[in-house]
Amino acid sequence: MTLKISTIMIVLLLFGFPMMIPLILGATYGFYGLFGGFDRMDFMVQQMLAGIRPASLIAVPMFILAADIMTRGQSADRLIDMVMKFIGHIKGGLAVSTATACTLFGAVSGSTQATVVAVGSPLRPRMLKAGYNDSFVLALIINASDIAFLIPPSIGMIIYGVVSKTSIAELFIAGIGPGLLLLVLFSAYCIVYAIVKGVPTEPKAPWSERVAAVRAAIWPLFFPVIIVGGIYGGFVSPTEAAAICVAYALFLELVIFRSLSLSDIYKISKSTGLITAVVFILVAAGTAFSWVISFAQIPQQILGAIGIDEMGPKMVLAVISIAFFVGCMFVDPIVVILVLVPIFAPVVDSVGLDKVLVGTIITLQVAIGSATPPFGCDIFTAIAIFKRPYMDVIRGIPPFTLILLGVSAALIFFPQIALFLPSLAFD
């Protein structure tokens, strides 16, 4: 059965079908084979509905909607402008500003692809004009957007939390440490790159412009306060924080900035609805598919073949990291989380690993794989947005990938990078 399901899915993918189709048909064939016909397809539907029933998933469309409102309004531009005024003048400052802007926007969107669009669109032309190589610029935008998957709110962490039954609030807080570490390392690389390549610096903004930029960005800066402060302080759940973010985004763009009209909100809501439908179909199909492979004991066969039962905690984390990294090089991150998390769950429990640490490492690996050839989804987002050839987009990626993998290794050997803040907030 394993070979037949794999063949069906690979063939459909090669013919260009969207990922939801191979997942649904793979699950359907699995139910057909397990129950000897189509008599129990109602059970498959029950599994799919069970996958999208958790209330925590309501946060996903809300964060998507809030990010879309901010991107089409003025919030994203004001955050970017504030960062530029303060660090744009240092050596490599424009590149460091891009990485910092990705981190800030990640703190209000939770989506790597949204960050690529929101930050990359205004800053790429400025970096090219300043003398940066386009391959470096594209790689920086793609990989710095990975930080958005770690800094709360993270859509990947929400999906992982639902699948693994782990506290989403703790996952959110755990992502802050690794996310800030990545920002520091990316910034250091950008400075070294600018020095080696002799990239000129930007003019230093006077304090009057900096103060004006802070005043302009003060309202959008409350988004991280709402999300992190609200959850850290125990005032709101992640789902409630998402709802407040949507209301706050509407208030800013409709009332304070007056950058959007009600007709714009209708279009944005329609776009969010379409994206949410795709995400929820993937979640539903992935849940049914995961049930099939679990019932057929496919995970036990795979993990038994590599001898994972005899490995220690650090080796288990290394295997998990490799599996998710490779998986996301080829398949949508949400699908990889839905399929692989149930496979590794028994092993994680048996060796006594902290699920929050595992979730942070998985989220980071998912983000890395999303920006890694051959089929990382962020690469194709950049190709579509910036209209550049595939090879130009991936040429500058390797140094950033090495930094990301270095942080992954650091999390395995120094788990407190991720667990320090949750221990303060929740113990």
Side-chain angles (χ1 to χ4, degrees):
M1 178 185 291
T2 305
L3 180 61
K4 290 181 179 179
I5 291 176
S6 301
T7 302
I8 290 171
M9 295 180 70
I10 291 170
V11 169
L12 290 172
L13 284 173
L14 290 175
F15 274 98
F17 285 90
M19 191 63 213
M20 67 182 75
I21 303 300
L23 264 182
I24 292 173
L25 291 182
T28 301
Y29 181 82
F31 274 90
Y32 176 84
L34 289 172
F35 295 109
F38 291 109
D39 295 338
R40 294 306 313 274
M41 285 299 107
D42 60 322
F43 187 60
M44 175 179 167
V45 175
Q46 290 174 18
Q47 290 297 318
M48 294 178 74
L49 292 176
I52 58 175
R53 190 172 293 133
S56 302
L57 284 176
I58 298 173
V60 174
M62 289 184 180
F63 280 128
I64 293 173
L65 177 58
D68 208 356
I69 292 171
M70 289 181 288
T71 303
R72 301 200 194 189
Q74 294 182 8
S75 296
D77 291 336
R78 289 176 181 236
L79 288 172
I80 293 169
D81 185 59
M82 182 194 67
V83 173
M84 286 295 302
K85 296 298 183 186
F86 277 88
I87 58 177
H89 65 281
I90 66 173
K91 197 66 176 177
L94 192 54
V96 175
S97 298
T98 301
T100 306
C102 286
T103 304
L104 276 177
F105 190 75
V108 295
S109 72
S111 167
T112 59
Q113 290 165 293
T115 305
V116 169
V117 177
V119 178
S121 297
L123 286 184
R124 176 173 170 265
R126 292 184 65 171
M127 292 187 70
L128 294 177
K129 187 177 180 180
Y132 288 91
N133 180 275
D134 196 19
S135 292
F136 170 82
V137 175
L138 292 169
L140 172 63
I141 292 168
I142 292 171
N143 287 276
S145 297
D146 288 346
I147 301 173
F149 230 50
L150 286 168
I151 296 289
S154 165
I155 292 173
M157 283 183 170
I158 295 172
I159 301 296
Y160 170 83
V162 169
V163 174
S164 65
K165 296 179 175 59
T166 305
S167 167
I168 295 173
E170 290 188 49
L171 287 166
F172 275 5
I173 304 302
I176 296 175
L180 294 179
L181 177 59
L182 278 175
L183 173 60
V184 171
L185 294 175
F186 280 175
S187 299
Y189 173 64
C190 290
I191 293 170
V192 172
Y193 177 91
I195 293 172
V196 172
K197 298 294 183 180
V199 179
T201 58
E202 294 272 303
K204 186 175 181 178
W207 275 102
S208 59
E209 292 185 12
R210 293 181 181 183
V211 171
V214 171
R215 286 176 177 170
I218 195 71
W219 286 100
L221 283 172
F222 275 103
F223 278 104
V225 174
I226 293 170
I227 297 167
V228 179
I231 295 172
Y232 188 95
F235 302 112
V236 295
S237 68
T239 304
E240 291 166 343
I244 294 171
C245 279
V246 172
Y248 188 61
L250 289 170
F251 173 72
L252 287 190
E253 304 299 346
L254 290 175
V255 179
I256 302 297
F257 302 151
R258 298 183 180 180
S259 58
L260 298 175
S261 64
L262 290 176
S263 61
D264 293 324
I265 299 301
Y266 171 77
K267 294 175 184 176
I268 292 170
S269 300
K270 183 178 179 181
S271 172
T272 299
L274 292 172
I275 296 170
T276 301
V278 172
V279 171
F280 275 48
I281 291 171
L282 285 173
V283 171
T287 302
F289 184 79
S290 296
W291 187 92
V292 168
I293 63 175
S294 297
F295 189 83
Q297 295 191 327
I298 295 173
Q300 289 84 338
Q301 298 171 23
I302 296 173
L303 298 179
I306 64 176
I308 199 168
D309 291 333
E310 302 172 4
M311 297 178 183
K314 287 184 172 55
M315 280 301 298
V316 170
L317 286 175
V319 171
I320 290 173
S321 297
I322 294 169
F324 279 86
F325 171 62
V326 174
C328 286
M329 290 167 61
F330 298 93
V331 183
D332 185 274
I334 292 175
V335 175
V336 175
I337 292 172
L338 290 167
V339 173
L340 292 187
V341 168
I343 290 177
F344 286 103
V347 181
V348 169
D349 291 335
S350 67
V351 298
L353 286 169
D354 189 310
K355 287 186 178 181
V356 174
L357 173 64
V358 174
T360 307
I361 291 174
I362 285 175
T363 303
L364 177 56
Q365 293 301 331
V366 164
I368 300 172
S370 300
T372 305
F375 302 119
C377 61
D378 289 344
I379 294 173
F380 292 96
T381 301
I383 291 172
I385 297 300
F386 305 127
K387 296 179 172 56
R388 298 300 301 160
Y390 178 84
M391 291 307 299
D392 284 358
V393 173
I394 68 170
R395 190 172 289 119
I397 286 177
F400 293 99
T401 302
L402 289 176
I403 293 173
L404 287 159
L405 292 176
V407 173
S408 299
L411 281 175
I412 293 174
F413 291 99
F414 306 101
Q416 284 305 112
I417 296 173
L419 299 180
F420 176 69
L421 287 178
S423 67
L424 291 179
F426 299 101
D427 287 352

